[in-house]
Amino acid sequence: AQKITQTQPGMFVQEKEAVTLDCTYDTSDQSYGLFWYKQPSSGEMIFLIYQGSYDEQNATEGRYSLNFQKARKSANLVISASQLGDSAMYFCAMREGRVGAGSYQLTFGKGTKLSVIP
Amino acid sequence: DSGVTQTPKHLITATGQRVTLRCSPRSGDLSVYWYQQSLDQGLQFLIQYYNGEERAKGNILERFSAQQFPDLHSELNLSSLELGDSALYFCASSVEMSGLYGYTFGSGTRLTVV
């Protein structure tokens, strides 16, 4: 079973509009972290936002916010006021494991390609 | 500039050859992770090193090996290359083993096997 599911292979959004990119995850750990990364066409992976499993408030970073619904195991990324430069692949990722378990790599979803239309 | 340096940025080589990809982590980061991004497999974790020691292995082929040196830079060695090894290889680093304070990715090395 996939640990991270991004059901939208591609999305279009009008410039200046808000857009939500979906991410659901599967884990039996109580302690985990959820990350969103942006990958523009140039290829680099840019960190956007992080949500810890014990964080009670939804994370926000500028125009990015994370809609964290723990019971539903979803961690959707909301981008407000989309800009042309937001056109890119977006990846949701999860870090599992308690401190001391020894392995803390990220597991990534397949990504969503966002295209911002002028 | 993320602070994680990967060299070379691009590499084109023939099947059967061996290549070495290099990663210098962000200053102060002790943990290095290698990931492979291919069209069919997506982003897959290969291997993690922490302060010179191997900590975790993912879907890394036996033809691939890695190490982390005393100055904390890491090298990923790919041998007997096949067409299917063509991919973008990322290195990421974190301050400590758990990634609790996040991960910083390098720009990647794009490997093309012809």
Side-chain angles (χ1 to χ4, degrees):
Chain A
Q2 284 191 20
K3 289 202 168 188
I4 297 285
T5 303
Q6 295 181 253
T7 56
Q8 307 150 314
M11 290 275 288
F12 289 90
V13 64
Q14 204 76 39
E15 195 178 4
K16 300 179 186 175
E17 296 292 310
V19 63
T20 299
L21 306 184
D22 294 341
C23 172
T24 57
Y25 59 91
D26 182 27
T27 181
S28 56
D29 285 345
Q30 296 301 308
S31 175
Y32 53 90
L34 296 157
F35 298 76
W36 277 91
Y37 285 88
K38 172 184 178 181
Q39 186 177 39
S41 57
S42 51
E44 70 268 30
M45 295 289 284
I46 302 167
F47 167 75
L48 295 177
I49 198 166
Y50 167 78
Q51 180 86 39
S53 58
Y54 294 119
D55 295 340
E56 294 187 354
Q57 303 263 0
N58 285 344
T60 60
E61 290 283 351
R63 293 187 300 111
Y64 304 108
S65 60
L66 201 152
N67 184 359
F68 181 47
Q69 298 189 45
K70 197 169 179 177
R72 294 186 177 184
K73 292 189 175 178
S74 75
N76 298 338
L77 176 71
V78 180
I79 305 175
S80 63
S82 297
Q83 302 172 355
L84 295 178
D86 294 335
S87 293
M89 282 291 289
Y90 289 80
F91 291 94
C92 179
M94 177 171 63
R95 179 201 67 227
E96 297 174 277
R98 294 185 190 84
V99 175
S103 174
Y104 302 98
Q105 72 271 17
L106 292 174
T107 302
F108 285 86
K110 298 285 188 189
T112 295
K113 184 173 183 179
L114 178 67
S115 299
V116 180
I117 305 165
Chain B
D1 181 9
S2 67
V4 177
T5 304
Q6 287 190 249
T7 56
K9 290 195 185 305
H10 301 276
L11 198 49
I12 302 175
T13 190
T15 54
Q17 295 298 304
R18 173 189 168 95
V19 297
T20 297
L21 313 184
R22 183 187 168 106
C23 169
S24 293
R26 197 178 57 162
S27 178
D29 287 358
L30 298 178
S31 200
V32 168
Y33 310 76
W34 286 98
Y35 290 85
Q36 178 194 58
Q37 185 180 26
S38 61
L39 282 174
D40 51 347
Q41 298 289 333
L43 268 155
Q44 298 232 318
F45 167 70
L46 296 179
I47 197 163
Q48 177 198 1
Y49 280 83
Y50 176 76
N51 206 19
E53 292 189 7
E54 182 185 303
R55 296 300 304 184
K57 262 187 174 179
N59 298 322
I60 187 166
L61 300 172
E62 285 191 11
R63 300 184 285 108
F64 296 1
S65 65
Q67 53 184 325
Q68 187 179 27
F69 295 85
D71 67 352
L72 301 177
H73 91 271
S74 178
E75 293 181 356
L76 179 67
N77 301 296
L78 315 176
S79 61
S80 302
L81 285 167
E82 302 174 359
L83 295 178
D85 297 327
S86 295
L88 188 53
Y89 291 84
F90 283 106
C91 166
S93 70
S94 64
V95 169
E96 32 60 72
M97 194 164 51
S98 71
L100 190 62
Y101 301 103
Y103 308 80
T104 304
F105 280 76
S107 298
T109 293
R110 188 171 295 280
L111 173 66
T112 303
V113 182
V114 297

